[in-house]
Amino acid sequence: MGCTSSKDPIIAGKSGRTGSQDLKKAQSMYVTSTAKGSEVEDPPQVDVKGHLMPEEVRKRIVGSSQVQTTIVGTEEQTEIQYAYITQRGYYPNNLGQQNQDDYSITLKLGGEANDVMFAVYDGHGSNGHGCAVFTKTDIPRSVAKYIRQKRSSRHIAKLKAEGKPTKGAFRPELWSTLEEKEYGECCRKAFEETNKALHDNAKINDKLSGTTVVTVSFHRGRMTVCNLGDSRALLGSRMQEDGTIQSIPLSMDQTPHRKDERERVQAAGAEIKSIDQLQGREEPHDDWGDIPQGGEVENPHKDPPRIWVKGNEFPGTAFTRSIGDTVAENIGVIAQPEIVSRELTENDTYLVIATDGLFEFLKNKQVMEIVEKSSDPVDACEKLRKAAYEQWLQHEDRVDDITIIVCFLSKTATPTD
């Protein structure tokens, strides 16, 4: 994940590579630190290249054993087959680091039988794991609360307008569904509420820790995507002309590579520098270009622009929006999500929601090509995880946490009364 502090400006040198002496030192530190807890875990076994042995990799993977199915929509329904997978990363200089990624799948969101929310969370900082777990618990609950409140208030207003009594109005089966803007407003309030709740939580220090999050919710056959940070939601839609699958980004990374986001945080007092610039290995500049709508950074894994408090070496976030990060919030890193809504069509075939551990080296088009060649969502999750993991091994001596949700979408027959 893209967050550093003055105590840990980079993961392991400029390129993220760690020598054999560093690895031995980390292993001894790992045994010492874990021995202080309730359990003692042996250092992971690695090969001559310093890569995890296959059995060690398997220990770090948790995922769906079989495909699950749900139905979304009212007048027109869509069947969603889905699965998830998450793999704990590997950091040679911090062998005991927990998986800071998380995910949530919430069926019957807000009490509505055919509503569902899929989400992934990517924690960062020393308390990133706690921030991700807190957020995955709080956001679905908070979104559901605001949806219920809005639907209930609309129903009561309708009864009053019709001159009918409002006593006993709490009958969710009679409530109308929400319009696009109403639903988006419920999500926005929920994200901001969760951010404040994390700040107020005495058990989690989020000064230099937090989490990115992307949620995809289905309500009345409409898909609503809320994004903070650089995790992604990606849709695969079949083209009518030739039957090929088109990769459609449903979220846009919020990083200093985007001119609009860069200018926004700079206006709030942030300083934008790469680590090389911060440490004097490169002349300062602000020529970071811009990412067009739906575009991708050409080399995202190379020394990216980061956000700093002027004259200091913190917080060093490589994203411009998140939950938590109270220090970064003072210089423009906000918890206001970018929201995109889309009506589902019969051409919408695949949906991928994943943390940046998947997208660091794989382009959106490559991701969707892998999904299209998969037999089902479980197969797709494993193939994507394997492809991302192999890319990390080629480019780095470390591996980021990788978390993926894959959905196969198909229109079903219109329900009859």
Side-chain angles (χ1 to χ4, degrees):
M1 189 58 230
C3 183
T4 65
S5 71
S6 58
K7 295 181 180 179
D8 182 23
I10 47 179
I11 292 173
K14 177 182 175 182
S15 66
R17 304 194 179 279
T18 304
S20 59
Q21 293 301 315
D22 294 326
L23 180 58
K24 292 178 180 178
K25 180 180 179 181
Q27 288 175 327
S28 64
M29 290 172 62
Y30 182 60
V31 174
T32 301
S33 61
T34 55
K36 296 177 182 178
S38 59
E39 296 181 2
V40 177
E41 185 179 350
D42 292 332
Q45 298 299 307
V46 298
D47 60 20
V48 293
K49 294 182 180 180
H51 298 162
L52 290 171
M53 299 294 285
E55 58 270 24
E56 295 290 348
V57 176
R58 286 192 291 270
K59 291 178 184 178
R60 292 167 178 256
I61 300 171
V62 176
S64 300
S65 58
Q66 60 185 16
V67 175
Q68 300 293 320
T69 302
T70 189
I71 300 292
V72 299
T74 50
E75 292 83 5
E76 294 185 2
Q77 296 188 329
T78 298
E79 180 183 89
I80 301 180
Q81 294 183 325
Y82 62 90
Y84 70 89
I85 197 167
T86 183
Q87 178 178 326
R88 173 185 165 195
Y90 172 62
Y91 295 85
N93 67 327
N94 187 6
L95 297 176
Q97 180 163 310
Q98 294 174 290
N99 185 347
Q100 294 188 308
D101 279 6
D102 219 320
Y103 71 93
S104 63
I105 300 170
T106 309
L107 304 179
K108 299 181 179 179
L109 181 70
E112 185 68 16
N114 291 348
D115 281 13
V116 61
M117 174 190 284
F118 300 96
V120 296
Y121 314 83
D122 189 349
H124 50 264
S126 59
N127 296 314
H129 174 75
C131 292
V133 171
F134 180 90
T135 303
K136 88 155 187 178
T137 302
D138 204 69
I139 276 189
R141 176 201 59 78
S142 189
V143 169
K145 178 187 72 173
Y146 282 113
I147 289 172
R148 287 193 300 268
Q149 288 179 356
K150 186 62 178 179
R151 293 181 68 199
S152 175
S153 65
R154 282 186 59 178
H155 182 62
I156 291 174
K158 180 175 180 292
L159 292 176
K160 288 181 177 179
E162 295 172 348
K164 297 179 180 179
T166 59
K167 185 177 181 180
F170 191 83
R171 296 182 62 186
E173 70 275 12
L174 300 180
W175 298 348
S176 62
T177 54
L178 300 182
E179 298 299 325
E180 177 181 330
K181 289 185 178 180
E182 293 174 317
Y183 196 92
E185 182 63 15
C186 290
C187 293
R188 184 192 64 77
K189 289 180 179 179
F191 273 61
E192 292 176 352
E193 179 177 90
T194 295
N195 187 54
K196 185 179 185 303
L198 181 57
H199 292 344
D200 294 341
N201 190 301
K203 296 181 179 180
I204 304 174
N205 184 340
D206 70 341
K207 288 184 178 180
L208 292 172
S209 298
T211 185
T212 69
V213 53
V214 60
T215 68
V216 179
S217 305
F218 293 87
H219 177 70
R220 204 188 65 178
R222 184 180 59 245
M223 182 166 45
T224 300
V225 181
C226 300
N227 181 47
L228 290 178
D230 53 4
S231 294
R232 293 182 189 172
L234 187 64
L235 181 69
S237 189
R238 195 169 297 281
M239 304 297 291
Q240 291 184 332
E241 296 80 3
D242 56 10
T244 59
I245 292 293
Q246 180 185 18
S247 175
I248 303 174
L250 298 176
S251 62
M252 192 172 178
D253 294 356
Q254 298 150 351
T255 76
H257 280 292
R258 273 176 54 179
K259 184 180 178 182
D260 59 340
E261 287 293 285
R262 187 165 67 245
E263 291 178 345
R264 183 181 59 77
V265 297
Q266 286 174 327
E271 189 171 49
I272 308 295
K273 289 182 178 180
S274 67
I275 289 175
D276 277 354
Q277 290 176 335
L278 185 74
Q279 298 185 343
R281 292 190 292 267
E282 181 182 344
E283 288 297 318
H285 66 78
D286 197 37
D287 184 22
W288 297 108
D290 194 14
I291 303 175
Q293 182 69 34
E296 299 174 83
V297 178
E298 193 62 34
N299 293 300
H301 54 287
K302 292 191 175 179
D303 199 19
R306 295 175 181 269
I307 297 170
W308 312 91
V309 173
K310 287 183 179 179
N312 292 278
E313 294 188 355
F314 60 84
T317 65
F319 44 83
T320 55
R321 302 190 190 209
S322 69
I323 296 288
D325 295 299
T326 53
V327 170
E329 190 173 290
N330 294 324
I331 50 173
V333 178
I334 57 177
Q336 182 176 335
E338 290 184 315
I339 301 175
V340 174
S341 292
R342 175 189 174 96
E343 295 289 338
L344 283 171
T345 73
E346 62 182 11
N347 298 321
D348 297 335
T349 308
Y350 307 114
L351 175 66
V352 177
I353 310 155
T355 59
D356 67 344
L358 173 65
F359 295 104
E360 184 76 12
F361 301 104
L362 295 177
K363 296 294 187 182
N364 291 343
K365 186 173 183 291
Q366 293 174 296
V367 167
M368 202 51 66
E369 286 173 349
I370 292 171
V371 173
E372 186 180 12
K373 294 176 182 177
S374 303
S375 59
D376 59 42
V378 172
D379 184 43
C381 281
E382 172 55 23
K383 285 179 177 176
L384 288 172
R385 180 208 64 80
K386 186 173 184 291
Y389 181 67
E390 289 174 349
Q391 286 295 310
W392 277 98
L393 295 183
Q394 287 183 30
H395 293 279
E396 299 279 357
D397 283 340
R398 65 182 179 93
V399 179
D400 196 8
D401 303 323
I402 302 168
T403 299
I404 307 162
I405 297 174
V406 174
C407 301
F408 282 22
L409 314 174
S410 60
K411 285 287 185 179
T412 63
T414 302
T416 57
D417 295 331

